[in-house]
Amino acid sequence: MQKKYQALHGTRDILPPESSLWQYIEAKVREVMRIYNYREIRFPIFEHTELFQRGIGESTDIVTKEMYTFKDLGGRSLTLRPEGTAPVVRAYIQHSLAKKAPVNKLYYLGPMFRQERPQKGRMRQFHQFAAELLGTLDPAADVEMIDLNLEVYRRLGLKNLKLYLNSVGCPKCRPQHRQKLLAFAKDKLPELCSDCNLRYTRNPLRMFDCKVETCQIILKEAPVMLDSLCHECREHFERVKQNLEYLEIDFELDDHMVRGLDYYTKTAFEIRSEELGAQDSLSGGGRYDLLVSDLGGEETPAIGFAAGTDRLIVAIESQKISYPSDEKIDIFIAPVGEEAKKTAMKLLFSLRRKGHSCEIDYLDRSLKAQMREANRLGAKKVIIVGERELEEGVYEVKDMQTGEQVRMPQAELKV
RNA sequence: GUGGGUGUAGCUCAGUCGGUUAGAGCACCAGGUUGUGGCCCUGGGGGCCGUGGGUUCAAUUCCCAUCACCCACCCCA
């Protein structure tokens, strides 16, 4: 028996009419990006594996177990992009964008790839829209990034969102906090779960992520990053908060929020939907002031965010938000008989050249069936051309909304 | 990697305490109008009941395996 091919685990086809929703969202994203003066960057789907190892961090989950890595014919190790920030920074350095302008504002949208166990709102090929702002340490940039992200959701009419804010510090203050945290947890290790014991040695901050209730209770008392920020980080964080308050953007502090990527510094934020279930994080972002230099460029402060489009789709569908559908056509041409088909084809092509979206019957169906098809397609007008019309040199033009039908000389056709 | 759930028509799902031709709604096609849509009525096409094996006179139904998908853990967008 012939094997039935199907899309790979964690990938899926986006069919009409869902594809119109995707187009709609992408159009909104581009619209907002333009308003905020971000310009599109398109970078490759795959890069040197090393770029992601260095950029994202060797010990992160993404790098250790989630990347689609393969060798090309030349034996080089390549990886399908699991995120966009590292490639953008690579391009930023490669093309010396810093020399062309002091501040660079870039956006992108497209598929990313991570080999995880798929579930609702988490595909292996998933989609993001994202922005990066490179070249400034100004807290106003942090706020702009958050507002930009929110504005996309606002324009889509998304409700029940919550903005969470944290600061993950910098290499100056992080080690101090780490010491305090380790000291705190040391004698509590027997009470903590096995995962947390592992996190304790590998990445103690991650213990905050633990979902086990007893761990949560214990870690409630644990020293948090926010209390250990160095002067510079504290100052920065205060000004970000002030600006948000001043601009009346609601947020909630989440001092347990940790970023999964190593390059984050200072501001970290996340936008969650309250009705999305387990995968409730719609987007996340933050500062990465050291990534550019880590990847070999001049030290350049930067901030960015990435939003999951697949999850956005889930949220939009669950909130039953309406969106314009592009499925309706202007004119359906219904020929009756073989001779009429020729005239109809000619008419079809000329109308299309004038920019009308038109359709014609390809199955030589009865007029009744053609009318039904026209109705299904949402045609505003139907032009009927049969033997009778050919003889008289006219078209029957029917308005599908009103049901009115008029005959018009072919030369004077107006639609 | 761990746990739970589900596989029956294109879609959403009934059903078979093991027994003749396996159902509904939606969708599709046709007719009711020999050249006119939506609503309505009538009819029709479409299923190796996920796959393989076992038990049985008999399996879509029970058992086992397997695959696929979904949800959750984990992690994140």
Side-chain angles (χ1 to χ4, degrees):
Chain A
M1 200 178 27
Q2 174 67 42
K3 181 182 176 181
K4 247 192 183 174
Y5 292 106
Q6 52 181 326
L8 285 163
H9 200 41
T11 70
R12 71 189 194 94
D13 304 305
I14 296 165
L15 307 171
E18 193 196 342
S19 48
S20 346
L21 175 54
W22 283 77
Q23 288 185 9
Y24 173 64
I25 289 171
E26 286 160 5
K28 281 282 177 229
V29 169
R30 292 181 191 282
E31 177 184 309
V32 173
M33 292 298 177
R34 204 198 70 74
I35 290 169
Y36 283 68
N37 189 33
Y38 285 73
R39 306 195 63 193
E40 186 179 12
I41 177 172
R42 299 194 185 198
F43 49 89
I45 297 284
F46 55 93
E47 300 264 359
H48 285 292
T49 301
E50 200 185 328
L51 173 68
F52 298 116
Q53 290 171 335
R54 284 270 178 82
I56 299 169
E58 300 277 5
S59 68
T60 58
D61 284 324
I62 294 179
V63 169
T64 55
K65 53 188 191 198
E66 293 174 1
M67 296 208 299
Y68 278 98
T69 295
F70 57 97
K71 282 207 158 67
D72 72 0
L73 292 179
R76 284 171 294 222
S77 179
L78 308 181
T79 294
L80 297 185
R81 60 189 194 190
E83 58 102 49
T85 303
V88 167
V89 168
R90 192 223 79 229
Y92 176 83
I93 297 167
Q94 180 179 336
H95 303 287
S96 302
L97 297 187
K99 303 235 167 82
K100 293 178 180 150
V103 171
N104 280 271
K105 299 170 70 167
L106 301 165
Y107 82 90
Y108 50 93
L109 42 94
M112 304 291 166
F113 307 84
R114 291 182 201 173
Q115 202 162 171
E116 297 175 273
R117 200 69 169 259
Q119 83 190 245
K120 196 180 179 69
R122 189 177 73 183
M123 293 279 116
R124 287 179 168 179
Q125 173 172 339
F126 62 107
H127 301 78
Q128 291 188 328
F129 59 90
E132 315 287 353
L133 198 174
L134 300 107
T136 176
L137 194 52
D138 191 340
D142 303 39
V143 176
E144 165 171 311
M145 193 55 66
I146 291 168
D147 186 58
L148 162 63
N149 190 174
L150 285 170
E151 182 64 11
V152 174
Y153 298 144
R154 287 186 204 117
R155 284 184 184 238
L156 288 168
L158 212 60
K159 289 190 282 272
N160 301 326
L161 298 182
K162 219 158 186 184
L163 168 65
Y164 294 88
L165 196 67
N166 193 19
S167 175
V168 295
C170 69
K172 263 181 274 173
C173 43
R174 230 171 346 211
Q176 288 174 27
H177 171 247
R178 193 187 153 92
Q179 287 313 312
K180 285 189 207 166
L181 185 59
L182 289 177
F184 168 87
K186 194 174 178 185
D187 54 332
K188 297 179 182 64
L189 281 178
E191 302 161 63
L192 291 166
C193 71
S194 58
D195 279 341
C196 279
N197 274 274
L198 205 71
R199 294 184 181 108
Y200 177 84
T201 50
R202 290 182 46 190
N203 190 349
L205 269 183
R206 289 230 154 272
M207 291 192 295
F208 286 128
D209 272 349
C210 189
K211 297 286 194 295
V212 179
E213 215 175 314
T214 52
C215 294
Q216 279 303 319
I217 292 166
I218 295 166
L219 288 163
K220 244 185 184 155
E221 311 297 322
V224 295
M225 190 64 231
L226 281 184
D227 295 330
S228 303
L229 293 179
C230 64
H231 178 71
E232 190 193 321
C233 287
R234 180 176 309 282
E235 242 354 66
H236 187 92
F237 193 56
E238 286 307 315
R239 287 182 58 195
V240 171
K241 284 194 293 183
Q242 280 165 19
N243 281 334
L244 285 172
E245 275 158 17
Y246 182 68
L247 294 165
E248 293 178 6
I249 296 171
D250 288 333
F251 65 90
E252 195 170 304
L253 286 187
D254 179 357
D255 52 20
H256 283 196
M257 181 171 69
V258 185
R259 304 273 67 191
L261 297 77
D262 283 355
Y263 54 64
Y264 282 106
T265 53
K266 292 196 172 74
T267 313
F269 67 91
E270 208 167 299
I271 297 169
R272 294 175 208 148
S273 165
E274 289 170 1
E275 51 199 51
L276 223 50
Q279 308 298 323
D280 67 343
S281 176
L282 273 180
S283 51
R287 277 210 160 267
Y288 48 95
D289 294 334
L290 300 161
L291 182 59
V292 179
S293 54
D294 280 354
L295 292 177
E298 293 289 311
E299 192 165 316
T300 309
I303 182 161
F305 83 89
T309 312
D310 309 73
R311 284 179 193 183
L312 178 55
I313 297 271
V314 174
I316 283 177
E317 282 173 347
S318 84
Q319 292 189 16
K320 297 196 169 56
I321 290 170
S322 62
Y323 55 94
S325 163
D326 58 3
E327 288 151 74
K328 289 191 160 68
I329 64 164
D330 298 328
I331 302 159
F332 188 90
I333 300 171
V336 184
E338 229 166 280
E339 271 309 302
K341 183 75 179 270
K342 287 188 198 162
T343 311
M345 286 299 289
K346 206 161 190 184
L347 176 61
L348 173 73
F349 278 56
S350 87
L351 286 172
R352 282 179 174 165
R353 263 168 221 155
K354 285 180 191 152
H356 299 287
S357 69
C358 306
E359 191 51 280
I360 198 168
D361 173 59
Y362 292 111
L363 300 171
D364 295 323
R365 283 181 285 189
S366 68
L367 183 58
K368 183 192 174 99
Q370 294 194 58
M371 292 304 289
R372 195 163 44 230
E373 180 69 8
N375 187 63
R376 207 187 343 252
L377 294 172
K380 295 184 197 81
K381 297 266 173 68
V382 173
I383 299 175
I384 301 164
V385 39
E387 310 295 318
R388 300 208 291 255
E389 287 75 20
L390 284 184
E391 274 167 37
E392 295 173 43
V394 299
Y395 294 130
E396 291 280 353
V397 179
K398 179 164 187 171
D399 184 307
M400 293 297 274
Q401 268 103 67
T402 64
E404 267 175 63
Q405 186 168 320
V406 293
R407 40 185 29 208
M408 270 179 212
Q410 295 184 0
E412 294 166 30
L413 177 72
K414 283 208 180 84
V415 285

